[in-house]
Amino acid sequence: MSIESLLRIVKIPVTPCGPHHADRALCVSYSVMTSAEREGVREKDKDKDREKEKEQRGTKRPIVPASIPEPQVEQIHSNFVIVIHPGSTTLRLGRASDTLPTSIPHVVARRHKASGQLRRDETWLLRDGIEHADSKEQRHSGLKMVEQAIWSRKMSNGLRRIPTHPEQLAAYNSRMKPFPLDTCPRVKWTNTFHKPECLIGDEALHVNYSEPYSLHWPMHRGKLNLHQRSGGSLSAVLADLETIWIQAIHKFLDIAPCDLKYYRCIVLVPDMCSRQHVKGIMNMLLNSMGFTGVIVQQESVCATFGCGLSCACVVDIGDQKMSVCCVEDGISHRNTRLWLEYGGADVTRCFYWLMERSGFPFTKCQLGNRHHALLLQQLKENFCHLHQDISGIQDHEFKLRLPDSPPLLYRLKLGDEKLQAPMALFYPASFGIVGQRMTLLQQRSQGDPEDPHDEHYLMATQSKQEQAAKAVAERRAQAKHAALDTETGGPEATERPGLSGSYGEAATHGSADVSLPHGEHDEAAPSVVSRKLSSPQFEGKALGIDKAILHSIECCGE
């Protein structure tokens, strides 16, 4: 039955349209319901009343959390991120969006504050230990091993290399005279007419010796150049770093110092670095230079990330130091880190000694002169190689450009000297360094009084079970290597293709030792102790780069 017919039965007029038509229909339908239907409706109403009473008594209802708006993450543009890689002699910096960084000499020249102040120029080719009484003998012994290693390796065509004699080369080179070059541009001194307080980079290296300026290298062998002389305190070195970095960013990146608050910074540090030095650098970047944010990354981790590798043995060959470590899944393993106190500058000095033995025509060359040092470094980069097939005597020439002097052209003949100098990295005795530590292991942190949860606190709060487990592991490692030495009669030197002679012979002539600095022999960290006990064959010996790589890889499992 339709609604309209029902309304006619109860004699209610039908309204075909209107806003309340549906409500009236519902009311009429309720009036004609049976008594059973009415009882059902009453029961439903009673159930609703009971639910309301339960709510009033405190019946728990599901709590719906309020919608919290997600924080808006600020997008960081690569143009506003500056990457700084400080080295001993070279500073590399640039924006994160740049393809290649800008490289400048990491040096600053400061003007004297008082007249008559003593001038001081720090050189990077000279170092302690090369003027020892035994340096010359050790250098000759190392060069003999290098010559034997080169002679034992055949060329790719199966023939032996043609030996060259220094006496034959000296007879020819000593007769060569320089030729003046009028068309070649001359090197000029840096213009200091306005008396700037400080100069950086190439401008600092070309300051006239008569000007009242002193050169400072804030980094030395991968660390802050702290010493007992003037300008060697931590605050003075950090001030030099701040001056160099601010001027370099302003000059090469066109970023004013007042705009650094809009930029972020990434600093690359060595794997073995002092936490106090990193803390001082961070304080300088945030508080003094005013960066809005700074992050510190290890060189080896960034190298693997840049190459797209998950694990690798990273070898960093710098100008004054070399470091070796193994990286796995973005973590630099502490036990695999090695620090070698020699690098490209030592190769340059060794190459100069070899050329001097072969009658180097530029007889006035001095290692302490910064312009002569730049010349020797350029000759090393142009002439030295590790190509085994390049053999025999070859003709070479170079141009000498000095300020206040006409440019000169020199000609000379060189033989195996170009290969012997870089081969000294495998035989560090050829550097003639006596009485200096050449190989360093990972140092234990000295602690920070401002850090309540430093390494000493973590060591003191370790559980007894962890300490006992570490002690057992150390005793097992010591017993394992002791048994191995007993069976083999001592550690044997491994040989690599193309390198003849045992490592024991190379170490006999070296007096550099592997040690833990700052009195860490008495109280060393478990990781350092276990690695030290696992490699007794390296104590008291200078470590070549090939042996350092093998040792670092072997320590991956410890």
Side-chain angles (χ1 to χ4, degrees):
M1 182 182 295
S2 64
I3 296 176
E4 296 177 353
S5 59
L6 179 62
L7 293 177
R8 291 190 183 94
I9 294 173
V10 295
K11 298 181 180 180
I12 296 178
V14 178
T15 304
C17 61
H20 305 289
H21 176 71
D23 295 339
R24 294 179 60 184
L26 290 175
C27 293
V28 172
S29 63
Y30 179 78
S31 62
V32 297
M33 283 192 300
T34 62
S35 59
E37 292 175 348
R38 293 174 182 174
E39 289 296 331
V41 172
R42 293 192 187 99
E43 290 296 332
K44 291 181 180 180
D45 294 339
K46 291 181 181 179
D47 294 339
K48 293 180 180 179
D49 294 338
R50 294 191 192 97
E51 291 180 0
K52 291 181 180 180
E53 291 178 0
K54 290 182 180 179
E55 292 178 1
Q56 293 177 359
R57 295 195 209 105
T59 305
K60 294 183 179 181
R61 298 178 60 188
I63 300 175
V64 179
S67 59
I68 301 176
E70 297 182 359
Q72 296 181 356
V73 180
E74 181 182 359
Q75 185 177 3
I76 301 176
H77 298 279
S78 57
N79 290 335
F80 291 88
V81 178
I82 299 176
V83 183
I84 300 177
H85 186 192
S88 301
T89 58
T90 304
L91 170 65
R92 299 176 179 87
L93 77 162
R95 290 183 173 87
S97 58
D98 296 341
T99 304
L100 296 175
T102 301
S103 300
I104 62 172
H106 204 182
V107 62
V108 58
R110 292 191 176 275
R111 189 176 182 84
H112 296 167
K113 296 182 179 180
S115 59
Q117 184 177 349
L118 181 63
R119 177 185 177 86
R120 183 173 61 87
D121 285 349
E122 300 176 356
T123 59
W124 68 92
L125 288 186
L126 297 177
R127 59 174 297 171
D128 297 334
I130 60 175
E131 300 296 337
H132 195 271
D134 299 333
S135 296
K136 187 175 181 180
E137 181 182 356
Q138 178 176 327
R139 186 166 61 247
H140 287 305
S141 301
L143 290 177
K144 288 182 180 179
M145 289 185 290
V146 170
E147 293 174 356
Q148 181 183 1
I150 295 175
W151 175 253
S152 63
R153 177 67 179 267
K154 296 182 180 180
M155 294 187 294
S156 59
N157 55 7
L159 301 178
R160 294 285 183 180
R161 294 177 56 86
I162 301 174
T164 59
H165 302 284
E167 297 79 8
Q168 182 181 359
L169 298 174
Y172 173 83
N173 293 332
S174 60
R175 298 194 303 267
M176 298 304 298
K177 302 298 180 183
F179 299 93
L181 299 174
D182 297 333
T183 59
C184 186
R186 300 188 179 186
V187 178
K188 298 181 180 180
W189 295 110
T190 301
N191 185 8
T192 58
F193 177 77
H194 299 287
K195 299 181 180 180
E197 292 295 330
C198 54
L199 299 166
I200 66 168
D202 293 321
E203 293 181 350
L205 292 178
H206 291 86
V207 172
N208 198 328
Y209 294 96
S210 60
E211 296 291 337
Y213 286 89
S214 295
L215 292 182
H216 299 273
W217 297 85
M219 301 291 292
H220 181 68
R221 306 207 179 280
K223 302 180 288 289
L224 296 184
N225 189 12
L226 305 181
H227 49 79
Q228 301 297 329
R229 301 182 300 274
S230 175
S233 62
L234 179 60
S235 58
V237 173
L238 291 177
D240 291 340
L241 285 178
E242 181 180 354
T243 301
I244 298 173
W245 294 1
I246 287 180
Q247 291 195 17
I249 292 174
H250 189 198
K251 181 177 180 180
F252 298 101
L253 303 183
D254 197 17
I255 300 175
C258 60
D259 295 336
L260 292 179
K261 58 185 177 182
Y262 303 110
Y263 289 82
R264 293 172 171 83
C265 181
I266 300 176
V267 183
L268 275 65
V269 298
D271 296 274
M272 293 174 55
C273 58
S274 173
R275 296 189 179 183
Q276 295 295 333
H277 295 177
V278 175
K279 179 181 176 182
I281 293 175
M282 290 286 289
N283 183 40
M284 176 195 69
L285 292 171
L286 292 173
N287 299 330
S288 301
M289 298 181 65
F291 280 101
T292 186
V294 180
I295 185 174
V296 177
Q297 288 288 350
Q298 294 174 318
E299 295 174 341
S300 60
V301 176
C302 292
T304 55
F305 179 80
C307 296
L309 300 175
S310 60
C311 58
C313 180
V314 182
V315 182
D316 178 20
I317 302 179
D319 189 73
Q320 298 182 2
K321 63 89 180 176
M322 293 193 302
S323 60
V324 184
C325 71
C326 292
V327 179
E328 184 179 5
D329 295 333
I331 298 176
S332 173
H333 289 276
R334 180 189 181 109
N335 292 347
T336 63
R337 299 173 189 170
L338 282 176
W339 188 281
L340 307 178
E341 290 283 327
Y342 56 88
D346 300 278
V347 176
T348 303
R349 189 176 58 254
C350 181
F351 185 51
Y352 168 67
W353 287 335
L354 293 172
M355 290 192 301
E356 192 177 24
R357 186 181 63 172
S358 301
F360 189 49
F362 181 37
T363 56
K364 296 182 180 180
C365 184
Q366 297 178 1
L367 294 175
N369 188 297
R370 61 174 181 266
H371 289 92
H372 298 173
L374 291 174
L375 171 65
L376 295 176
Q377 184 175 1
Q378 181 182 3
L379 296 180
K380 178 198 69 175
E381 295 175 356
N382 295 338
F383 296 159
C384 289
H385 62 87
L386 286 173
H387 200 301
Q388 196 72 17
D389 290 342
I390 300 178
S391 177
I393 300 176
Q394 296 180 350
D395 295 329
H396 298 280
E397 63 180 24
F398 65 92
K399 298 175 183 178
L400 176 63
R401 300 184 181 93
L402 298 177
D404 295 339
S405 299
L408 302 175
L409 176 65
Y410 284 88
R411 290 189 174 90
L412 74 160
K413 290 181 179 292
L414 293 175
D416 292 339
E417 291 82 6
K418 300 174 295 183
L419 181 60
Q420 292 172 355
M423 281 289 293
L425 295 175
F426 301 93
Y427 299 91
S430 305
F431 297 137
I433 304 173
V434 180
Q436 300 293 317
R437 292 179 302 188
M438 297 281 284
T439 307
L440 301 178
L441 304 179
Q442 175 65 56
Q443 304 176 13
R444 177 181 177 179
S445 175
Q446 298 299 316
D448 187 359
E450 298 182 359
D451 185 7
H453 298 89
D454 58 359
E455 187 173 352
H456 294 280
Y457 172 80
L458 298 178
M459 292 286 295
T461 55
Q462 283 182 345
S463 63
K464 295 182 178 180
Q465 294 180 355
E466 293 179 356
Q467 296 178 3
K470 290 182 178 180
V472 171
E474 293 171 8
R475 288 195 297 268
R476 288 180 178 176
Q478 184 178 6
K480 176 181 177 181
H481 290 280
L484 180 61
D485 293 343
T486 304
E487 294 176 0
T488 59
E492 297 180 357
T494 58
E495 297 184 0
R496 299 185 62 186
L499 300 178
S500 64
S502 65
Y503 175 72
E505 296 176 358
T508 305
H509 303 281
S511 58
D513 50 5
V514 179
S515 58
L516 296 174
H518 307 296
E520 297 178 3
H521 296 279
D522 300 334
E523 185 180 357
S527 60
V528 178
V529 172
S530 62
R531 183 153 54 90
K532 184 179 178 183
L533 292 176
S534 65
S535 56
Q537 66 269 26
F538 295 141
E539 295 181 6
K541 301 174 182 179
L543 205 60
I545 184 63
D546 56 335
K547 306 298 180 183
I549 294 173
L550 294 177
H551 174 63
S552 178
I553 296 175
E554 290 174 355
C555 292
C556 288
E558 296 183 4

